[in-house]
Amino acid sequence: MALVLVLGGARSGKSNFAEGLAASSGSRVVYVATAAAGDDEMARRIVSHRRRRPAAWLTVEETHQLERVIKEYERRADILLIDCLTMWVTNLLLDESLPASGSTAEDKESFILEQARQLGRTAAASPARVIMVANEVGMGLVPDNALGRSFRDVAGRVNQLLAQEAEEVYLVVAGLPVEIKSLVFKRR
């Protein structure tokens, strides 16, 4: 059907906007949550997100296998809302067993980018509309450590890969969404 990518900074309103897109469809929605409650603060955030979602939405919690979830639920839902890709990238980056124990930073980045390519192709070909939410992390300071720089770089590259596959790309700033992919093609 279509892949929609919603980008924005922290607390930009990107999740609220994506949830509004899904809710306005009046369709069967599967919400795919990628965060794991690693501490009390994150657990509170997860509870807050759960409370604001409509009760009729099915929630699937998956930290790693997003392509599998799309394939499993695409025929049972009209919309798959994945929130958020940046947390997914974090989960893959910090999983020391991926792609294999002892992998280099370059191996890890190559693995994550290949996973993102496959995810983008699967989402774009899905009979369900797939809405993905991600942080735009490249507008801040350069991190002062290697892991932070690696995260910023791979998250930015994942966003680029998925934006190429997406039919629509929104940038949300201060709660205001702007569809940006169509603007790029109007200029060509």
Side-chain angles (χ1 to χ4, degrees), residues 44 46-55:
R44 286 191 299 277
I46 290 170
V47 168
S48 174
H49 272 252
R50 282 181 186 147
R51 284 185 182 143
R52 74 176 189 223
R53 290 194 296 264

Side-chain angles (χ1 to χ4, degrees), residues 5 7 113 116 134 136 152-166 169 181:
L5 181 61
L7 300 169
L113 294 176
E136 178 50 65
R152 182 218 38 207
D153 292 351
V154 74
R157 289 182 180 115
V158 165
N159 287 350
Q160 289 179 49
L161 288 170
L162 293 169
Q164 290 172 4
E165 293 289 341
V169 179
K181 189 161 185 176

Side-chain angles (χ1 to χ4, degrees), residues 128-185:
R129 186 174 193 204
V130 180
I131 302 170
M132 296 184 182
V133 178
N135 288 66
E136 178 50 65
V137 298
M139 295 178 170
L141 299 173
V142 175
D144 67 351
N145 62 75
L147 179 59
R149 288 186 297 274
S150 179
F151 166 75
R152 182 218 38 207
D153 292 351
V154 74
R157 289 182 180 115
V158 165
N159 287 350
Q160 289 179 49
L161 288 170
L162 293 169
Q164 290 172 4
E165 293 289 341
E167 186 174 295
E168 300 170 30
V169 179
Y170 291 89
L171 178 62
V172 182
V173 178
L176 303 172
V178 177
E179 200 287 315
I180 58 174
K181 189 161 185 176
S182 64
L183 297 175
V184 172
F185 291 105

